Amino acid sequence: MDFATILGLVVALAMMAGAVLVSPGASFEAFIDYPSIMVVLGGVCAATLICFPLKRFLQLPAVLRKVFRSRPADVPALVARLVRLSETARRDGLLSLEHKLVELDDPFLVLGIQLAVDGTPPETLEEILRTEMEAVAQRHREAKAMFEQMGRFAPAFGMIGTLLGLVLMLGNMDDPSSIGPGMAVALLTTLYGAVLAYVVFLPISEKLALLSRQELHAREIILRGIQGIQSGDNPRVIEQRLKTYLPRRLRADASREAA
């Protein structure tokens, strides 16, 4: 569970709720208007459907689950695992790693080890694994692009809803006492659009970009480790090479894991 994402949303909503509570005479009921919600959410979903295929749009719940349930890769443990695999390959031969595949839970690592065990030429192995990395990066970019577009659309539909409300209000000027409440309701759609854009859609887009960078970083380490294993490098050389991908404060952790 990604507590940073949850904490950020909770703090943002709590600050806005606190601002309402400390305002004299304010109430939460004044900030709820269902037609405004329909205009903003419905407009954002409709515009996003125009931009992206239906199949991709329907994957939004899965993307949101990834955002809230993401767990960054334990890179020191990954380096240690690759070092242990290199020690096994150096001691018992490359084919001995085939029996280790059932112990691995990373599909990308399994693919790389299987290619190495099958005797795939180093150039072909790197080409296949980098193509896999690029395919993953492309899927991540598409998911990020959807939330970016939704972040752009939300304020626009908030303004559209406000204009609709103003038109309806100005068309009914018989009762001057209704102008104030009508103006307040008209402005709610702008508020909804801004909150959705800058509290939900755009931050989630940036979180997806961060998760993508973390995953590709881990896969780059796996690729380099498999290349070292395939070429028969000394496990200590592989360890030192892979530890260069880690911050200095985590390099000791990787050494302890490998030991």
Side-chain angles (χ1 to χ4, degrees), residues 68-154:
F68 287 101
R69 297 182 180 179
S70 64
R71 184 175 299 174
D74 189 346
V75 180
L78 178 60
V79 171
R81 174 177 292 179
L82 289 165
V83 172
R84 290 194 295 269
L85 290 172
S86 69
E87 291 171 344
T88 301
R90 190 174 179 85
R91 182 179 62 250
D92 303 326
L94 192 58
L95 291 177
S96 64
L97 295 182
E98 191 166 15
H99 304 292
K100 297 287 186 179
L101 293 178
V102 294
E103 303 174 7
L104 305 177
D105 55 2
D106 188 326
F108 187 76
L109 179 57
V110 171
L111 173 62
I113 295 296
Q114 187 67 66
L115 290 171
V117 168
D118 292 342
T120 307
E123 300 81 6
T124 305
L125 182 144
E126 181 175 5
E127 179 186 356
I128 292 173
L129 294 184
R130 290 208 177 277
T131 301
E132 177 71 18
M133 292 170 63
E134 179 56 33
V136 171
Q138 179 61 31
R139 291 195 295 271
H140 291 173
R141 285 193 293 267
E142 290 176 357
K144 179 179 183 295
M146 271 198 297
F147 280 95
E148 280 185 338
Q149 290 290 5
M150 293 168 76
R152 295 190 186 103
F153 292 145

Side-chain angles (χ1 to χ4, degrees), residues 5-256:
T5 301
I6 297 173
L7 181 61
L9 288 172
V10 169
V11 170
L13 295 176
M15 292 298 101
M16 289 184 285
V20 173
L21 290 174
V22 299
S23 300
S27 65
F28 287 110
E29 290 78 8
F31 290 87
I32 298 176
D33 184 65
Y34 295 108
S36 299
I37 296 173
M38 291 170 56
V39 169
V40 176
L41 285 181
V44 168
C45 291
T48 306
L49 277 170
I50 295 172
C51 295
F52 297 93
L54 178 61
K55 180 180 178 181
R56 185 66 63 188
F57 179 82
L58 294 177
Q59 292 175 349
L60 281 177
V63 175
L64 285 173
R65 284 197 299 270
K66 182 176 181 180
V67 169
F68 287 101
R69 297 182 180 179
S70 64
R71 184 175 299 174
D74 189 346
V75 180
L78 178 60
V79 171
R81 174 177 292 179
L82 289 165
V83 172
R84 290 194 295 269
L85 290 172
S86 69
E87 291 171 344
T88 301
R90 190 174 179 85
R91 182 179 62 250
D92 303 326
L94 192 58
L95 291 177
S96 64
L97 295 182
E98 191 166 15
H99 304 292
K100 297 287 186 179
L101 293 178
V102 294
E103 303 174 7
L104 305 177
D105 55 2
D106 188 326
F108 187 76
L109 179 57
V110 171
L111 173 62
I113 295 296
Q114 187 67 66
L115 290 171
V117 168
D118 292 342
T120 307
E123 300 81 6
T124 305
L125 182 144
E126 181 175 5
E127 179 186 356
I128 292 173
L129 294 184
R130 290 208 177 277
T131 301
E132 177 71 18
M133 292 170 63
E134 179 56 33
V136 171
Q138 179 61 31
R139 291 195 295 271
H140 291 173
R141 285 193 293 267
E142 290 176 357
K144 179 179 183 295
M146 271 198 297
F147 280 95
E148 280 185 338
Q149 290 290 5
M150 293 168 76
R152 295 190 186 103
F153 292 145
F157 278 97
M159 183 59 65
I160 289 172
T162 296
L163 294 175
L164 291 174
L166 290 175
V167 170
L168 294 175
M169 182 190 71
L170 294 174
N172 186 18
M173 297 287 289
D174 297 335
D175 184 7
S177 63
S178 66
I179 296 178
M183 179 68 75
V185 171
L187 292 175
L188 280 179
T189 51
T190 299
L191 174 64
Y192 292 156
V195 170
L196 286 175
Y198 299 113
V199 178
V200 181
F201 297 143
L202 294 179
I204 286 178
S205 171
E206 292 304 315
K207 176 54 70 73
L208 288 172
L210 173 63
L211 295 176
S212 178
R213 290 193 298 270
Q214 290 175 340
E215 183 173 345
L216 293 176
H217 178 69
R219 294 196 172 200
E220 182 67 28
I221 293 174
I222 291 173
L223 172 59
R224 295 301 182 186
I226 291 173
Q227 287 177 322
I229 293 171
Q230 187 183 40
S231 61
D233 292 345
N234 187 295
R236 300 284 75 80
V237 173
I238 293 176
E239 180 181 5
Q240 293 303 319
R241 184 182 298 150
L242 297 183
K243 282 166 63 176
T244 60
Y245 288 92
L246 300 175
R248 290 190 177 274
R249 60 185 177 82
L250 295 180
R251 294 181 184 181
D253 296 341
S255 298
R256 286 194 295 269

